[in-house]
Amino acid sequence: MILTVSENATKEQLQQAYQNEYVLSAFGELHTREPIESDIVKYHSCYVNGDFVGCFLEIMRSPIESEVHSLLFKKAAKHCRKLALIFIFQLFESKPIARVCTQVMYIHRSVINFCLKIGFKIEGFKQNADLKDGKLQNIVMMRILRDEL
């Protein structure tokens, strides 16, 4: 089994990710349904045995912090832990960042548990910070520090 995460996903790959129903099901109503074009945003494509299985979104919040989000397809489910760890290690190896953070809707408990299993820690909560199915949702803020790997 060969798992690969590479920087610079193609436009075609991003279109696939943003049209994938499994990926979109995790989005809140305030999230964009189109690839974000910005100097501080990068997409990292993921492959299992050479097959594209989605990507990770990286937002460079500051010189010491990157925020990350998963846009992995359902077919990547049994490899997502390893792909996420590869991605996080690559971020820490390639940048002088001190921390990687993410935000997860509280209703997505399985995603929160997944993040905890790969080393993220809960930093706090944002009350009524997103919408899902017309209802306000709380957000769990999580992070992993370089020295915690």
Side-chain angles (χ1 to χ4, degrees), residues 15 18-19 24-25 27-35 132:
Q15 288 300 82
Y18 278 94
Q19 293 172 359
L24 293 176
S25 69
F27 283 20
E29 293 170 23
L30 304 177
H31 296 215
T32 181
R33 297 318 199 242
E34 296 290 327
K132 180 79 172 175

Side-chain angles (χ1 to χ4, degrees), residues 4-58:
T4 311
V5 179
S6 64
E7 202 171 293
N8 300 322
T10 67
K11 287 186 180 199
E12 179 181 287
Q13 290 171 332
L14 295 179
Q15 288 300 82
Q16 288 178 41
Y18 278 94
Q19 293 172 359
N20 185 282
E21 289 301 318
Y22 182 76
V23 170
L24 293 176
S25 69
F27 283 20
E29 293 170 23
L30 304 177
H31 296 215
T32 181
R33 297 318 199 242
E34 296 290 327
I36 301 167
E37 293 186 29
S38 170
D39 291 342
I40 65 166
V41 173
K42 286 187 180 176
Y43 290 91
H44 303 256
S45 52
C46 299
Y47 303 89
V48 175
N49 291 331
D51 182 31
F52 177 66
V53 295
C55 52
F56 291 109
L57 163 65
E58 174 194 6

Side-chain angles (χ1 to χ4, degrees), residues 48-105:
V48 175
N49 291 331
D51 182 31
F52 177 66
V53 295
C55 52
F56 291 109
L57 163 65
E58 174 194 6
I59 304 168
M60 292 162 279
R61 291 284 176 205
S62 75
I64 61 167
E65 179 179 48
S66 284
E67 180 178 330
V68 297
H69 297 279
S70 172
L71 302 169
L72 292 177
F73 305 161
K74 189 170 188 172
K75 65 183 177 179
K78 65 182 178 178
H79 306 291
C80 62
R81 188 180 298 184
K82 288 181 182 176
L83 287 166
L85 288 170
I86 290 168
F87 174 55
I88 291 166
F89 276 100
Q90 285 179 352
L91 287 178
F92 281 120
E93 285 180 4
S94 66
K95 302 173 187 302
I97 57 174
R99 55 187 282 126
V100 172
C101 67
T102 194
Q103 299 183 43
V104 180
M105 273 191 275

